[in-house]
Amino acid sequence: MERQKSMEKGLLRKSLSIRERKFPNEDVFLEAGLSRKSPREIIKKAQNDDGDCRVTASVFLSTFVAVAGSFCTGCGAGFSSGAQAGITKDLSLSVAEYSMFGSILTLGGLIGAIFSGKVADVLGRKRTMLFCEAFCITGWLAVAFAQDALWLDCGRLLLGIGVGLFSYVIPVYIAEIAPKHVRGSFVFANQLMQNCGIALFFIIGNFLPWRLLATVGFVPCVLHVFCLFFIPESPRWLAKKGRDKECRSALQRLRGSDVDISREANIIRDTIEISELDGETGMTELFQRRYAYPLVIGVGLMFLQQLSGSSGMTYYASSLFQKGGFPSAVGTSVIATIMVPKAMLGTIIVDKLGRRTLLMASCAAMGFSALLLSVSYGFQSFGILPDLTPIFTCIGVLGHIVSFAMGMGGLPWIIMAEIFPMNVKVSAGTLVTVTNWLFGWVVTYTFNFMLQWNASGKYLDINMLIYHRYLLRFDFVIWVTDCVLLV
């Protein structure tokens, strides 16, 4: 009898020690060895507490290498603005053909986004980025050596597929390796590097021929492939695949050799185990009541991000300046000069002001800029204030692109990486990314046609008045809807 009591006492102590190892923050235990809080509550509390987790050189390096893929994305987005005049002249492309070339990047992004979650889950975050660059490198080479519209479109489509995969895997990778107190700033660096790529191509696109410009876009892709071999895989993905030893090794490398990573490793493993108990959620099961709130936020933000017209303004910025009577070379250079500092400001303040405050400020500035641009084209059609309309055009385009870069461009991706539970992250992330690219394609394909319609409307002044009044109301509705969703 005494021996049996001794064995029971030893088993109870062992159970308590395991419990304490898994949940070291929980210092109150019942005598039976059970916590007053559920395991989910304890893990959530531990995840929200970074403790002494510091930002190491390895985290900085891994983040920088990852967001270098966003720099490649920015190069692709900025290419169509600087190359438009040269391509349409050399290959004799019509407005419809160049609109297809410019917008097919987003169509490729849509294709890549459909498979982005599953590819990142099967290959891992690091190898998925390598997979992306295979598409990007091939696409840039096809564009650089294209002799007709078909080769241009094929190259741009391949580039878009790589960009679509990047748009999902980069924010997820950074969110999984960065400590919580800097996660927002680090994920926002994704948008910062994308702006750097756009700015670079806006500037050099004024001087380089379009084939050489495509060759320049090829170079950072090759460098990115080389750098990816020096960063670790995501510890959360390794834990999900049952590779605990590699998970701990990657986590130790990220947190520093002198840091005890046992607590964080246990939390990651327990989070994965609870997610596996809940089971992987398919696309059809995603539309349940319990996932409704994060789904509406994630999809709604991506929907409104594209309907703001930001993609069209970035892809065809030079056309907007020319239409408004402002020198396109000067306009794109000014945008490039201001865009990067504004994005850097957003990176600094995102974790200080909070996601919602920065989003609302960005949406307000975008709405005002879009209204100013609509008024500028309206005045130009009626010959009102001919000396001021080019300035209004410059301020409108500049304000819209810069305010987008400061908040609305990167914050939806940060929120997408943070709000979804682990068991729905793949399906929900895929749906959100597909929504973004689908409406991005609609906007970029129709943008030039809308611009042509605007010019042809000068033959009937009353139609132009109605059209611009419609645009004013539409931009205002988009801005108001953004703010209502955020509230």
Side-chain angles (χ1 to χ4, degrees):
M1 181 66 72
E2 290 181 2
R3 184 179 179 183
Q4 184 178 356
K5 287 182 179 180
S6 177
M7 289 176 63
E8 289 175 354
K9 192 174 181 180
L11 288 172
L12 180 60
R13 286 176 178 171
K14 184 177 180 181
S15 175
L16 285 170
S17 67
I18 294 173
R19 185 73 178 182
E20 289 169 353
R21 176 179 58 82
K22 285 190 173 184
F23 309 110
N25 279 350
E26 184 64 19
D27 54 358
V28 181
F29 289 87
L30 300 179
E31 291 184 0
L34 298 175
S35 170
R36 289 192 179 102
K37 296 181 179 180
S38 68
R40 284 181 174 82
E41 290 175 334
I42 298 169
I43 290 174
K44 187 175 180 180
K45 179 183 176 183
Q47 286 176 328
N48 291 332
D49 180 21
D50 277 337
D52 296 328
C53 189
R54 67 178 187 267
V55 181
T56 62
S58 180
V59 173
F60 269 116
L61 175 64
S62 300
T63 301
F64 178 78
V65 171
V67 297
S70 297
F71 181 83
C72 301
T73 300
C75 293
F79 176 79
S80 58
S81 177
Q84 183 171 359
I87 290 178
T88 52
K89 180 181 178 182
D90 293 349
L91 301 183
S92 302
L93 299 186
S94 64
V95 173
E97 288 174 325
Y98 194 80
S99 294
M100 175 57 71
F101 168 72
S103 65
I104 206 169
L105 178 77
T106 52
L107 186 61
L110 173 62
I111 297 172
I114 293 174
F115 303 101
S116 60
K118 188 58 68 177
V119 171
D121 196 45
V122 173
L123 296 181
R125 317 317 191 202
K126 180 178 169 180
R127 282 185 290 181
T128 299
M129 286 187 272
L130 287 168
F131 187 58
C132 294
E133 289 297 8
F135 285 100
C136 292
I137 290 172
T138 307
W140 279 120
L141 289 176
V143 171
F145 294 101
Q147 298 298 323
D148 54 29
L150 179 61
W151 277 100
L152 276 176
D153 292 343
C154 289
R156 186 83 166 167
L157 181 68
L158 290 173
L159 181 61
I161 293 174
V163 167
L165 291 168
F166 268 139
S167 66
Y168 172 80
V169 71
I170 292 175
V172 170
Y173 175 79
I174 298 172
E176 290 178 345
I177 67 169
K180 183 175 173 55
H181 65 283
V182 295
R183 190 175 299 154
S185 297
F186 276 31
V187 176
F188 205 88
N190 178 36
Q191 182 67 21
L192 172 62
M193 291 298 288
Q194 185 173 333
N195 288 326
C196 289
I198 295 173
L200 175 66
F201 270 56
F202 272 8
I203 293 174
I204 65 176
N206 294 321
F207 311 105
L208 297 182
W210 65 273
R211 292 189 188 276
L212 184 57
L213 193 63
T215 307
V216 172
F218 165 82
V219 174
C221 297
V222 176
L223 293 176
H224 189 219
V225 170
F226 176 74
C227 294
L228 281 170
F229 289 101
F230 296 94
I231 65 172
E233 180 57 86
S234 165
R236 290 185 180 273
W237 181 81
L238 292 169
K240 186 177 181 181
K241 295 301 178 181
R243 296 156 65 174
D244 291 337
K245 186 176 180 180
E246 294 175 62
C247 170
R248 296 178 71 88
S249 175
L251 200 58
Q252 191 76 68
R253 183 177 170 185
L254 289 167
R255 300 295 178 249
S257 57
D258 58 336
V259 175
D260 183 9
I261 49 92
S262 300
R263 173 174 172 270
E264 188 176 359
N266 290 329
I267 291 172
I268 291 174
R269 188 183 64 244
D270 293 333
T271 305
I272 298 297
E273 289 175 356
I274 289 177
S275 298
E276 289 175 350
L277 288 175
D278 292 336
E280 283 287 340
T281 302
M283 193 64 71
T284 55
E285 297 174 352
L286 184 62
F287 298 95
Q288 297 180 16
R289 187 179 181 85
R290 57 177 172 164
Y291 302 125
Y293 186 68
L295 196 62
V296 167
I297 293 176
V299 173
L301 285 176
M302 296 299 181
F303 176 78
L304 294 171
Q305 182 195 65
Q306 291 299 337
L307 282 188
S308 66
S310 56
S311 296
M313 286 192 174
T314 303
Y315 285 19
Y316 309 113
S318 59
S319 296
L320 288 172
F321 286 123
Q322 290 172 2
K323 189 68 67 176
F326 193 87
S328 60
V330 176
T332 53
S333 298
V334 172
I335 290 176
T337 304
I338 297 179
M339 185 182 291
V340 175
K342 278 289 186 181
M344 291 178 66
L345 178 63
T347 305
I348 296 170
I349 65 178
V350 62
D351 284 317
K352 296 182 179 179
L353 292 183
R355 278 50 160 167
R356 192 175 72 164
T357 303
L358 192 56
L359 269 175
M360 294 187 74
S362 175
C363 291
M366 288 168 63
F368 176 77
S369 301
L371 288 172
L372 184 61
L373 190 60
S374 297
V375 170
S376 171
Y377 286 138
F379 284 174
Q380 186 187 45
S381 300
F382 292 108
I384 302 173
L385 301 176
D387 295 331
L388 293 179
T389 49
I391 299 175
F392 288 163
T393 300
C394 179
I395 295 174
V397 175
L398 186 67
H400 193 281
I401 292 178
V402 168
S403 55
F404 176 82
M406 191 175 67
M408 196 63 180
L411 284 174
W413 298 105
I414 298 177
I415 294 171
M416 180 271 290
E418 291 180 339
I419 61 176
F420 292 113
M422 193 71 180
N423 61 312
V424 298
K425 186 167 284 189
V426 173
S427 54
T430 300
L431 178 62
V432 167
T433 311
V434 165
T435 301
N436 182 278
W437 286 108
L438 175 62
F439 286 98
W441 176 75
V442 172
V443 169
T444 53
Y445 182 69
T446 59
F447 196 87
N448 270 330
F449 293 108
M450 295 291 287
L451 214 56
Q452 290 292 318
W453 178 35
N454 184 6
S456 63
K458 65 184 177 182
Y459 293 107
L460 193 58
D461 289 346
I462 186 64
N463 281 349
M464 286 299 299
L465 179 61
I466 294 172
Y467 171 58
H468 283 289
R469 282 180 179 173
Y470 165 73
L471 274 182
L472 292 175
R473 290 197 299 270
F474 179 74
D475 289 324
F476 182 72
V477 167
I478 290 295
W479 171 63
V480 170
T481 308
D482 270 353
C483 293
V484 169
L485 179 68
L486 292 170
V487 170

